[in-house]
Amino acid sequence: MTTSEATASEATAPDAGTPDVEQLQRHFDATIERDQRIEPRDWMPEGYRKTLVRQIAQHAHSEIIGMQPEGNWLTRAPSLRRKAILLAKVQDEAGHGLYLYSATETLGADRADLTGKLISSRQKYSSIFNYPTLNFADIGVIGWLVDGAAIVNQVPLCRSSYGPYARAMIRICKEESFHQRQGYELLMTMMRGTDEQQRMVQDATDRWWWPSLMMFGPPDGDSPNTQQSMAWGIKRHTNDELRQKFIDMTVPQADALGVSLPDAGLAWNDERGHYDFSEPDWTEFKRVLAGSGPCNAQRLERRRAAHEDGQWVRDAAAAHAAKQAERQTGAAA
Ligand SMILES: [Fe+2]
Ligand SMILES: [Fe+2]
Protein backbone atom coordinates (compact mmCIF):
# COMPACT_ATOMS: atom_id res chain seq x y z
CA MET A 1 0.00 0.00 0.00
CA THR A 2 1.40 3.41 -0.94
CA THR A 3 1.42 6.33 1.46
CA SER A 4 -1.39 8.07 -0.39
CA GLU A 5 -3.54 4.92 -0.27
CA ALA A 6 -2.96 4.65 3.47
CA THR A 7 -3.98 8.27 3.95
CA ALA A 8 -7.12 7.74 1.89
CA SER A 9 -8.19 4.66 3.86
CA GLU A 10 -7.51 6.38 7.18
CA ALA A 11 -9.71 9.26 6.15
CA THR A 12 -12.67 6.96 5.62
CA ALA A 13 -12.17 4.57 8.55
CA PRO A 14 -13.96 6.07 11.57
CA ASP A 15 -11.38 5.08 14.16
CA ALA A 16 -8.12 5.16 12.27
CA GLY A 17 -5.69 8.06 12.44
CA THR A 18 -6.69 11.36 14.02
CA PRO A 19 -10.31 12.18 13.24
CA ASP A 20 -11.03 15.81 12.51
CA VAL A 21 -13.20 17.93 14.75
CA GLU A 22 -16.19 17.74 12.43
CA GLN A 23 -16.09 13.95 12.55
CA LEU A 24 -15.82 14.04 16.36
CA GLN A 25 -18.68 16.49 16.59
CA ARG A 26 -20.83 14.21 14.42
CA HIS A 27 -20.05 11.26 16.67
CA PHE A 28 -20.87 13.34 19.77
CA ASP A 29 -24.16 14.55 18.25
CA ALA A 30 -25.11 10.98 17.30
CA THR A 31 -24.42 9.79 20.86
CA ILE A 32 -26.70 12.52 22.27
CA GLU A 33 -29.28 11.77 19.58
CA ARG A 34 -29.37 8.09 20.58
CA ASP A 35 -29.75 9.20 24.22
CA GLN A 36 -26.54 7.43 25.19
CA ARG A 37 -24.03 8.73 27.74
CA ILE A 38 -20.94 10.81 27.13
CA GLU A 39 -18.08 9.43 29.23
CA PRO A 40 -14.92 11.21 30.47
CA ARG A 41 -12.66 9.77 27.75
CA ASP A 42 -15.03 10.75 24.92
CA TRP A 43 -14.45 13.84 22.85
CA MET A 44 -16.87 16.62 23.73
CA PRO A 45 -17.33 20.21 22.57
CA GLU A 46 -15.61 22.73 24.81
CA GLY A 47 -18.92 24.49 25.49
CA TYR A 48 -20.46 21.22 26.73
CA ARG A 49 -17.50 20.61 29.06
CA LYS A 50 -17.53 24.17 30.43
CA THR A 51 -21.30 24.17 30.96
CA LEU A 52 -21.08 20.90 32.87
CA VAL A 53 -18.17 22.06 35.04
CA ARG A 54 -20.06 25.25 35.88
CA GLN A 55 -23.33 23.45 36.63
CA ILE A 56 -21.84 20.57 38.61
CA ALA A 57 -19.53 22.90 40.58
CA GLN A 58 -22.46 25.15 41.44
CA HIS A 59 -24.37 22.07 42.56
CA ALA A 60 -21.41 20.83 44.66
CA HIS A 61 -20.97 24.27 46.28
CA SER A 62 -24.70 24.29 47.13
CA GLU A 63 -24.44 20.93 48.90
CA ILE A 64 -21.49 22.13 50.99
CA ILE A 65 -22.84 25.60 51.81
CA GLY A 66 -26.24 23.99 52.44
CA MET A 67 -24.76 22.20 55.46
CA GLN A 68 -24.50 25.52 57.32
CA PRO A 69 -28.15 26.55 57.89
CA GLU A 70 -28.96 23.08 59.25
CA GLY A 71 -25.65 22.51 61.03
CA ASN A 72 -26.67 25.57 63.03
CA TRP A 73 -29.26 23.41 64.84
CA LEU A 74 -27.21 20.26 65.50
CA THR A 75 -26.29 21.26 69.04
CA ARG A 76 -29.83 22.42 69.82
CA ALA A 77 -31.92 19.54 68.46
CA PRO A 78 -34.84 18.87 70.84
CA SER A 79 -34.08 15.15 71.31
CA LEU A 80 -31.37 12.57 70.68
CA ARG A 81 -33.48 11.07 67.88
CA ARG A 82 -33.84 14.42 66.08
CA LYS A 83 -30.14 15.09 66.56
CA ALA A 84 -29.16 11.72 65.03
CA ILE A 85 -31.47 12.30 62.06
CA LEU A 86 -30.17 15.81 61.44
CA LEU A 87 -26.57 14.71 61.80
CA ALA A 88 -27.10 11.95 59.23
CA LYS A 89 -28.71 14.41 56.82
CA VAL A 90 -25.97 17.03 57.13
CA GLN A 91 -23.34 14.31 56.59
CA ASP A 92 -25.21 13.17 53.46
CA GLU A 93 -24.98 16.71 52.08
CA ALA A 94 -21.19 16.65 52.59
CA GLY A 95 -21.09 13.36 50.69
CA HIS A 96 -23.14 14.87 47.85
CA GLY A 97 -20.67 17.72 47.59
CA LEU A 98 -17.76 15.27 47.42
CA TYR A 99 -19.32 13.06 44.71
CA LEU A 100 -20.04 16.14 42.65
CA TYR A 101 -16.54 17.63 43.00
CA SER A 102 -15.25 14.22 41.87
CA ALA A 103 -17.55 14.40 38.84
CA THR A 104 -16.04 17.79 37.89
CA GLU A 105 -12.57 16.24 38.13
CA THR A 106 -13.51 13.75 35.39
CA LEU A 107 -13.96 16.83 33.19
CA GLY A 108 -10.47 18.10 33.98
CA ALA A 109 -11.47 20.59 36.70
CA ASP A 110 -9.39 21.00 39.83
CA ARG A 111 -11.19 20.78 43.16
CA ALA A 112 -8.90 23.28 44.89
CA ASP A 113 -9.48 25.72 42.06
CA LEU A 114 -13.27 25.33 42.38
CA THR A 115 -13.13 25.90 46.15
CA GLY A 116 -11.02 28.99 45.47
CA LYS A 117 -13.68 30.25 43.07
CA LEU A 118 -16.45 29.64 45.62
CA ILE A 119 -14.75 31.46 48.49
CA SER A 120 -13.75 34.38 46.30
CA SER A 121 -17.37 34.66 45.01
CA ARG A 122 -16.42 33.86 41.42
CA GLN A 123 -18.79 30.86 41.37
CA LYS A 124 -22.29 30.71 42.78
CA TYR A 125 -24.33 28.36 44.92
CA SER A 126 -28.10 28.08 45.30
CA SER A 127 -29.71 31.29 46.57
CA ILE A 128 -31.85 29.31 49.06
CA PHE A 129 -28.95 28.81 51.48
CA ASN A 130 -28.65 32.54 52.08
CA TYR A 131 -31.79 32.55 54.22
CA PRO A 132 -31.53 32.06 58.02
CA THR A 133 -32.88 29.12 60.05
CA LEU A 134 -34.66 30.77 62.97
CA ASN A 135 -35.96 27.74 64.90
CA PHE A 136 -36.33 23.96 64.72
CA ALA A 137 -39.49 24.12 62.57
CA ASP A 138 -37.18 25.47 59.85
CA ILE A 139 -35.38 22.12 59.86
CA GLY A 140 -38.64 20.36 59.05
CA VAL A 141 -39.63 22.88 56.39
CA ILE A 142 -36.19 22.73 54.76
CA GLY A 143 -36.52 18.94 54.47
CA TRP A 144 -40.05 19.20 53.11
CA LEU A 145 -39.69 22.15 50.72
CA VAL A 146 -35.98 22.64 50.00
CA ASP A 147 -35.06 18.96 49.68
CA GLY A 148 -38.45 18.43 47.99
CA ALA A 149 -37.56 21.04 45.36
CA ALA A 150 -34.08 19.55 45.05
CA ILE A 151 -35.63 16.15 44.23
CA VAL A 152 -37.83 17.61 41.49
CA ASN A 153 -34.77 19.37 40.06
CA GLN A 154 -32.46 16.40 40.37
CA VAL A 155 -34.47 13.32 39.40
CA PRO A 156 -34.30 14.27 35.69
CA LEU A 157 -30.53 14.73 36.09
CA CYS A 158 -30.24 10.95 36.67
CA ARG A 159 -30.77 10.84 32.87
CA SER A 160 -28.29 13.63 32.15
CA SER A 161 -26.15 12.95 29.07
CA TYR A 162 -22.90 13.06 31.06
CA GLY A 163 -22.34 9.61 32.59
CA PRO A 164 -20.52 10.45 35.86
CA TYR A 165 -23.03 13.21 36.70
CA ALA A 166 -26.04 11.01 35.93
CA ARG A 167 -24.66 8.16 38.06
CA ALA A 168 -23.83 10.44 41.00
CA MET A 169 -27.39 11.78 40.89
CA ILE A 170 -28.93 8.33 41.31
CA ARG A 171 -27.48 7.89 44.79
CA ILE A 172 -27.95 11.55 45.68
CA CYS A 173 -31.65 11.37 44.83
CA LYS A 174 -32.17 8.33 47.04
CA GLU A 175 -30.69 10.27 49.95
CA GLU A 176 -32.67 13.41 49.12
CA SER A 177 -35.81 11.34 49.38
CA PHE A 178 -34.88 10.44 52.99
CA HIS A 179 -34.24 14.15 53.64
CA GLN A 180 -37.67 15.12 52.36
CA ARG A 181 -39.39 12.47 54.45
CA GLN A 182 -37.57 13.26 57.67
CA GLY A 183 -38.63 16.90 57.28
CA TYR A 184 -42.24 16.06 56.58
CA GLU A 185 -42.36 13.62 59.50
CA LEU A 186 -40.94 16.29 61.83
CA LEU A 187 -43.62 18.74 60.68
CA MET A 188 -46.38 16.13 61.09
CA THR A 189 -45.20 15.62 64.68
CA MET A 190 -45.17 19.36 65.37
CA MET A 191 -48.64 19.80 63.84
CA ARG A 192 -49.95 17.24 66.34
CA GLY A 193 -48.36 19.30 69.13
CA THR A 194 -49.22 22.58 70.87
CA ASP A 195 -50.69 25.71 69.27
CA GLU A 196 -47.28 27.30 69.56
CA GLN A 197 -45.64 24.42 67.64
CA GLN A 198 -48.31 24.68 64.93
CA ARG A 199 -47.68 28.41 64.67
CA MET A 200 -43.95 27.73 64.28
CA VAL A 201 -44.60 25.37 61.35
CA GLN A 202 -46.88 27.91 59.64
CA ASP A 203 -44.35 30.70 60.16
CA ALA A 204 -41.48 28.61 58.75
CA THR A 205 -43.65 27.60 55.75
CA ASP A 206 -44.46 31.26 55.08
CA ARG A 207 -40.77 32.18 55.12
CA TRP A 208 -39.45 29.28 52.97
CA TRP A 209 -42.20 28.94 50.33
CA TRP A 210 -41.07 31.68 47.92
CA PRO A 211 -37.33 31.03 48.22
CA SER A 212 -38.11 27.33 47.46
CA LEU A 213 -39.88 28.30 44.23
CA MET A 214 -36.83 30.38 43.29
CA MET A 215 -34.66 27.24 43.51
CA PHE A 216 -35.82 26.33 39.99
CA GLY A 217 -34.09 29.40 38.62
CA PRO A 218 -35.43 32.40 36.69
CA PRO A 219 -38.49 32.12 34.40
CA ASP A 220 -37.79 30.41 31.06
CA GLY A 221 -37.84 33.71 29.19
CA ASP A 222 -34.99 34.92 31.38
CA SER A 223 -32.89 31.75 31.30
CA PRO A 224 -30.63 32.06 28.22
CA ASN A 225 -28.68 28.81 28.76
CA THR A 226 -31.70 26.50 29.06
CA GLN A 227 -32.12 25.74 25.38
CA GLN A 228 -28.52 24.76 24.73
CA SER A 229 -28.46 22.66 27.92
CA MET A 230 -31.60 20.85 26.79
CA ALA A 231 -30.19 20.26 23.30
CA TRP A 232 -27.12 18.70 24.94
CA GLY A 233 -29.27 16.49 27.18
CA ILE A 234 -27.77 18.05 30.32
CA LYS A 235 -31.14 19.47 31.28
CA ARG A 236 -34.39 17.58 30.56
CA HIS A 237 -37.07 20.13 31.55
CA THR A 238 -37.25 23.91 31.68
CA ASN A 239 -37.23 25.89 34.96
CA ASP A 240 -40.93 26.73 34.66
CA GLU A 241 -41.92 23.11 33.97
CA LEU A 242 -40.07 21.94 37.08
CA ARG A 243 -41.48 24.75 39.23
CA GLN A 244 -45.01 23.80 38.17
CA LYS A 245 -44.36 20.14 38.92
CA PHE A 246 -43.12 21.02 42.41
CA ILE A 247 -46.16 23.19 43.15
CA ASP A 248 -48.60 20.52 41.91
CA MET A 249 -46.88 17.97 44.13
CA THR A 250 -46.62 20.18 47.22
CA VAL A 251 -50.10 21.72 47.52
CA PRO A 252 -51.76 18.41 48.55
CA GLN A 253 -48.90 17.81 51.00
CA ALA A 254 -49.59 21.21 52.62
CA ASP A 255 -53.28 20.27 52.89
CA ALA A 256 -52.44 16.96 54.54
CA LEU A 257 -50.18 18.79 56.95
CA GLY A 258 -52.78 21.44 57.74
CA VAL A 259 -50.69 24.48 56.80
CA SER A 260 -51.56 27.15 54.26
CA LEU A 261 -49.19 28.28 51.55
CA PRO A 262 -48.60 32.06 51.48
CA ASP A 263 -49.99 32.75 48.01
CA ALA A 264 -53.51 34.14 47.55
CA GLY A 265 -53.25 33.35 43.83
CA LEU A 266 -52.78 29.62 44.37
CA ALA A 267 -55.77 27.79 42.83
CA TRP A 268 -56.43 24.62 40.84
CA ASN A 269 -56.94 25.31 37.15
CA ASP A 270 -59.12 22.57 35.66
CA GLU A 271 -58.36 23.59 32.11
CA ARG A 272 -54.60 23.44 32.50
CA GLY A 273 -54.68 20.49 34.89
CA HIS A 274 -52.24 22.39 37.13
CA TYR A 275 -52.26 24.85 40.01
CA ASP A 276 -52.08 28.53 39.08
CA PHE A 277 -49.77 30.57 41.29
CA SER A 278 -48.45 34.10 41.69
CA GLU A 279 -45.11 35.29 40.34
CA PRO A 280 -42.22 35.02 42.81
CA ASP A 281 -40.37 38.26 43.55
CA TRP A 282 -37.60 38.01 40.96
CA THR A 283 -36.00 41.24 42.18
CA GLU A 284 -35.38 39.55 45.52
CA PHE A 285 -34.00 36.48 43.73
CA LYS A 286 -31.51 38.59 41.77
CA ARG A 287 -30.52 40.54 44.87
CA VAL A 288 -29.82 37.36 46.88
CA LEU A 289 -27.96 35.77 43.98
CA ALA A 290 -25.84 38.88 43.58
CA GLY A 291 -24.67 38.56 47.19
CA SER A 292 -27.09 40.74 49.17
CA GLY A 293 -29.28 38.09 50.80
CA PRO A 294 -29.66 37.94 54.57
CA CYS A 295 -26.80 35.45 55.11
CA ASN A 296 -24.52 35.58 52.03
CA ALA A 297 -21.60 37.21 53.88
CA GLN A 298 -21.88 34.86 56.85
CA ARG A 299 -22.07 31.71 54.67
CA LEU A 300 -18.97 32.62 52.68
CA GLU A 301 -17.06 33.76 55.74
CA ARG A 302 -17.72 30.39 57.45
CA ARG A 303 -16.72 28.49 54.33
CA ARG A 304 -13.50 30.52 54.05
CA ALA A 305 -12.66 29.95 57.72
CA ALA A 306 -13.33 26.20 57.39
CA HIS A 307 -11.03 26.09 54.35
CA GLU A 308 -8.25 27.89 56.22
CA ASP A 309 -8.72 25.71 59.32
CA GLY A 310 -8.30 22.66 57.09
CA GLN A 311 -4.93 23.79 55.70
CA TRP A 312 -2.99 21.54 58.13
CA VAL A 313 -4.96 18.49 56.98
CA ARG A 314 -4.13 19.20 53.33
CA ASP A 315 -0.45 19.83 54.24
CA ALA A 316 -0.28 16.58 56.22
CA ALA A 317 -1.90 14.60 53.36
CA ALA A 318 0.53 16.09 50.85
CA ALA A 319 3.55 15.33 53.12
CA HIS A 320 2.29 11.76 53.58
CA ALA A 321 1.84 11.27 49.83
CA ALA A 322 5.35 12.66 49.17
CA LYS A 323 6.84 10.27 51.76
CA GLN A 324 5.01 7.30 50.20
CA ALA A 325 6.25 8.25 46.74
CA GLU A 326 9.79 8.58 48.07
CA ARG A 327 9.59 5.14 49.70
CA GLN A 328 8.32 3.59 46.50
CA THR A 329 11.12 5.15 44.44
CA GLY A 330 13.60 3.91 47.06
CA ALA A 331 12.16 0.38 46.86
CA ALA A 332 12.26 0.39 43.06
CA ALA A 333 15.92 1.53 42.93
FE1 LIG B 1 -27.97 17.04 48.90
FE1 LIG C 1 -30.69 17.02 50.94
Side-chain angles (χ1 to χ4, degrees):
M1 190 161 55
T2 65
T3 316
S4 61
E5 274 168 344
T7 313
S9 70
E10 273 167 20
T12 48
D15 53 357
T18 313
D20 59 33
V21 173
E22 258 173 54
Q23 218 173 350
L24 291 165
Q25 178 76 50
R26 270 200 301 278
H27 186 259
F28 172 86
D29 292 343
T31 307
I32 299 280
E33 183 69 26
R34 286 195 303 270
D35 207 11
Q36 287 176 336
R37 300 288 163 264
I38 305 293
E39 295 297 336
R41 269 179 272 180
D42 294 339
W43 181 91
M44 59 189 86
E46 192 51 19
Y48 177 83
R49 194 186 71 80
K50 279 196 177 146
T51 300
L52 273 168
V53 169
R54 194 183 56 235
Q55 179 175 330
I56 303 174
Q58 188 171 319
H59 190 166
H61 298 329
S62 303
E63 300 282 357
I64 299 295
I65 295 279
M67 295 165 74
Q68 289 187 34
E70 292 181 288
N72 183 34
W73 285 92
L74 280 174
T75 53
R76 288 171 289 163
S79 68
L80 183 59
R81 178 169 176 268
R82 293 292 168 199
K83 191 187 186 101
I85 294 171
L86 186 57
L87 198 57
K89 180 190 192 279
V90 173
Q91 280 179 331
D92 281 354
E93 306 299 8
H96 298 173
L98 297 182
Y99 298 149
L100 291 167
Y101 284 127
S102 298
T104 65
E105 286 176 329
T106 67
L107 291 157
D110 177 71
R111 192 181 298 213
D113 173 56
L114 297 179
T115 302
K117 283 181 174 145
L118 168 66
I119 59 183
S120 60
S121 298
R122 281 175 295 146
Q123 275 182 347
K124 296 196 186 310
Y125 55 89
S126 177
S127 61
I128 190 84
F129 301 117
N130 293 311
Y131 291 87
T133 41
L134 303 184
N135 59 57
F136 211 75
D138 289 41
I139 298 303
V141 170
I142 287 178
W144 174 37
L145 296 180
V146 177
D147 291 276
I151 293 170
V152 172
N153 251 330
Q154 293 174 9
V155 165
L157 294 175
C158 298
R159 294 188 298 116
S160 157
S161 60
Y162 187 58
Y165 191 30
R167 289 189 289 273
M169 291 318 301
I170 292 172
R171 175 159 176 187
I172 289 177
C173 283
K174 285 189 180 149
E175 292 176 345
E176 296 302 355
S177 158
F178 151 65
H179 299 170
Q180 199 269 353
R181 284 172 201 194
Q182 65 81 34
Y184 198 71
E185 190 262 347
L186 167 58
L187 297 178
M188 278 289 198
T189 307
M190 289 186 78
M191 290 304 284
R192 285 194 299 265
T194 63
D195 289 353
E196 175 61 17
Q197 285 176 309
Q198 292 173 16
R199 269 197 299 275
M200 283 167 74
V201 175
Q202 184 60 61
D203 163 64
T205 305
D206 291 345
R207 283 182 288 108
W208 289 95
W209 174 247
W210 293 107
S212 300
L213 297 191
M214 294 175 194
M215 285 175 72
F216 298 94
D220 292 350
D222 202 10
S223 176
N225 299 327
T226 292
Q227 251 183 348
Q228 179 62 76
S229 283
M230 286 181 69
W232 275 330
I234 296 175
K235 220 172 154 160
R236 299 289 181 176
H237 306 281
T238 71
N239 297 352
D240 287 334
E241 283 167 6
L242 293 168
R243 193 169 6 252
Q244 180 73 64
K245 191 172 191 277
F246 173 70
I247 291 170
D248 291 348
M249 191 182 94
T250 308
V251 174
Q253 294 172 356
D255 288 344
L257 203 54
V259 294
S260 60
L261 295 170
D263 178 4
L266 200 61
W268 178 254
N269 182 326
D270 236 345
E271 216 169 283
R272 291 201 310 124
H274 292 291
Y275 282 94
D276 288 337
F277 57 97
S278 310
E279 200 65 35
D281 180 355
W282 295 115
T283 323
E284 174 182 321
F285 173 71
K286 283 182 187 154
R287 198 177 56 235
V288 175
L289 209 60
S292 304
C295 300
N296 296 58
Q298 180 190 333
R299 301 290 185 240
L300 274 183
E301 187 43 49
R302 288 253 170 90
R303 184 65 195 87
R304 241 176 252 133
H307 186 65
E308 281 159 21
D309 286 350
Q311 186 59 49
W312 71 272
V313 180
R314 292 189 295 278
D315 290 346
H320 179 71
K323 229 182 238 177
Q324 291 278 87
E326 208 174 282
R327 245 180 239 150
Q328 264 171 8
T329 329

